[in-house]
Amino acid sequence: MSLPRYKITVLALSLGVASAFVGCSSNPSKKDVVDKGPQSSEQVYFEKAIKSLERNQYTDAVKSLEALDTYYPTGQYTQQAQLELLYAKFKQKDYEGTIALADRFIRLNPQHPNVDYAYYVRGVANMEMNYDSLIRYTSLQQSHRDVSYVKVAYQNFVDLIRRFPSSQYSVDAAQRMKFIGQELAESEMNAARFNIQRKAWLAAAERAQWVIEHYPQTPQTPEALATLAYSYQQLGDKATSQQYIDILKLNYPNLVKSNGEVNLRAARKEGSWVNRATLGLLGRESKTNQVKDEAKSDTEQRSLTNRLSFGLFDKPETEQATPAPVAAPEAPAATENKPSWKNRLSFGLLDKPEAEKTAEDDAAN
């Protein structure tokens, strides 16, 4: 039984259209598949990348540095280009790419004189992975969110200081570790508060004990001691609870009531209903935020308008590049005294141009 003629026509047209689409999809343009090879010498690529970095043209710099790394993998400028590429990727906010490049450089060049920089940038990039563009402009606490990346960053800085204790980046890494420790301690205490609300006394005590053992120098220590005393009291372990109450009396007497009970509310310094209703924007500054604010100058304090607009309005004169106590300054602009590669790779911390040093000396005088 044969098909009607119009059905045969429709079937033929359908097969023709399908064949045309398959043919187009299987024949990509030559522009996408043909690699024309290096278009200039290794030195030209490198010099072009350096000029782009000095002009803050990071996209052009990345293109030149990646081409140099691809076409001249064992060339004279390869290792230096990889370090420059770390910086350019970081300034592009491509933190995953920065971490991957740092891992590769550490693996391939373990004895390089500047390998400590790769360790340092890897830690900074992992810190930045935990802070998105919205949260950094508000008072919302990072410790109330996922802290997996800052844990990795903390370990990165530990590796740096352990392997290179005299590195020029170790001081800044130690300051960042102090900040991260406060974030991690606050994260643990946030979990402890939740466990107390649901009367999971043992779980709350374990979280507080972790803070005492691993982050003893953080502002969360008083609350952790109070939480331990309160939790063991609820568990019926009067002896252990009294031990922690005695420690509180010696070190934080304001956290113990006149009747000998723990003043857990005072230890928490709970925010007002305004603070809770605005998700931390108003009504309270946490201990962690206070530490961050102390590290900033008066001109860098964010106003109420800036926080409510999520950083869109009333910006401070100097923006911090990271939320850490010692923030990475922006790359210096190209001047007559051009910054060296060491100055750029250290985010402006080291080997400053003469003009910048003179300006700092004048300000100090």
Side-chain angles (χ1 to χ4, degrees):
M1 180 176 169
S2 60
L3 293 172
R5 179 169 300 183
Y6 77 92
K7 289 188 177 181
I8 295 176
T9 304
V10 171
L11 179 61
L13 289 174
S14 300
L15 291 174
V17 172
S19 300
F21 276 114
V22 171
C24 292
S25 62
S26 62
N27 290 290
S29 62
K30 295 182 178 180
K31 181 180 179 181
D32 296 332
V33 298
V34 175
D35 187 352
K36 298 180 180 179
Q39 301 300 304
S40 56
S41 66
E42 178 186 7
Q43 183 176 359
V44 170
Y45 271 125
F46 186 75
E47 291 177 351
K48 183 178 179 181
I50 295 301
K51 289 181 180 179
S52 297
L53 287 174
E54 291 172 352
R55 297 169 183 169
N56 298 337
Q57 297 171 346
Y58 302 114
T59 301
D60 294 338
V62 166
K63 290 180 180 179
S64 298
L65 292 169
E66 287 181 340
L68 192 153
D69 189 39
T70 300
Y71 297 129
Y72 304 96
T74 59
Q76 177 183 359
Y77 300 97
T78 300
Q79 292 178 333
Q80 184 59 43
Q82 290 173 354
L83 291 174
E84 299 280 3
L85 186 57
L86 275 176
Y87 174 78
K89 284 283 188 180
F90 182 87
K91 298 302 292 185
Q92 282 188 319
K93 302 185 185 301
D94 182 4
Y95 302 125
E96 291 182 350
T98 301
I99 295 168
L101 288 170
D103 286 335
R104 186 187 71 162
F105 189 87
I106 292 170
R107 185 177 66 255
L108 298 178
N109 308 281
Q111 303 302 321
H112 193 277
N114 293 316
V115 70
D116 57 335
Y117 173 73
Y119 280 92
Y120 173 71
V121 174
R122 182 174 62 177
V124 177
N126 271 308
M127 281 187 69
E128 289 294 328
M129 289 281 285
N130 240 46
Y131 295 89
D132 57 46
S133 57
L134 178 63
I135 294 298
R136 73 166 63 252
Y137 292 114
T138 71
S139 298
L140 297 177
Q141 295 183 22
Q142 167 62 38
S143 54
H144 292 178
R145 300 160 59 238
D146 178 42
V147 293
S148 57
Y149 283 111
V150 291
K151 288 182 179 180
V152 176
Y154 190 91
Q155 188 58 48
N156 293 154
F157 293 134
V158 169
D159 292 341
L160 168 64
I161 295 175
R162 186 179 70 247
R163 294 173 183 270
F164 309 97
S166 58
S167 170
Q168 55 196 357
Y169 308 107
S170 293
V171 174
D172 185 63
Q175 292 175 326
R176 292 175 185 272
M177 287 175 62
K178 181 179 178 181
F179 171 77
I180 293 174
Q182 294 170 4
E183 292 282 86
L184 297 178
E186 180 63 23
S187 177
E188 294 293 329
M189 290 312 304
N190 186 53
R193 296 177 200 122
F194 172 76
N195 287 323
I196 286 179
Q197 288 179 358
R198 65 188 186 97
K199 298 182 180 181
W201 314 118
L202 184 58
E206 289 177 348
R207 294 283 189 168
Q209 187 67 40
W210 183 268
V211 172
I212 298 298
E213 292 179 358
H214 295 86
Y215 313 110
Q217 303 300 323
T218 59
Q220 288 75 18
T221 299
E223 183 184 353
L225 290 170
T227 300
L228 283 168
Y230 183 80
S231 297
Y232 281 114
Q233 187 178 34
Q234 297 299 318
L235 287 169
D237 190 345
K238 304 294 184 180
T240 304
S241 176
Q242 189 59 45
Q243 290 178 359
Y244 287 109
I245 290 176
D246 292 340
I247 295 175
L248 287 172
K249 287 181 178 179
L250 289 173
N251 297 278
Y252 311 101
N254 61 308
L255 301 185
V256 181
K257 298 179 181 179
S258 57
N259 59 1
E261 295 180 355
V262 178
N263 190 348
L264 195 59
R265 180 177 294 274
R268 291 179 179 178
K269 292 186 178 180
E270 293 180 329
S272 63
W273 68 269
V274 177
N275 177 261
R276 295 192 296 272
T278 58
L279 302 178
L281 285 173
L282 303 174
R284 176 197 180 202
E285 288 295 328
S286 69
K287 296 176 182 178
T288 305
N289 287 333
Q290 290 176 5
V291 172
K292 288 188 285 186
D293 290 341
E294 289 172 359
K296 299 179 181 180
S297 64
D298 293 338
T299 59
E300 292 168 332
Q301 298 287 346
R302 298 191 183 278
S303 66
L304 173 63
T305 305
N306 182 260
R307 294 199 303 272
L308 289 178
S309 63
F310 301 106
L312 293 177
F313 302 110
D314 196 18
K315 295 182 179 180
E317 294 180 1
T318 305
E319 289 284 352
Q320 292 285 355
T322 111
V326 178
E330 295 295 325
T335 60
E336 292 182 359
N337 294 322
K338 294 181 179 180
S340 65
W341 69 268
K342 185 180 293 187
N343 181 262
R344 293 195 305 276
L345 291 181
S346 65
F347 303 107
L349 293 175
L350 305 173
D351 197 17
K352 297 180 180 179
E354 290 299 326
E356 194 171 326
K357 290 180 181 178
T358 303
E360 290 181 356
D361 293 339
D362 292 342
N365 295 331

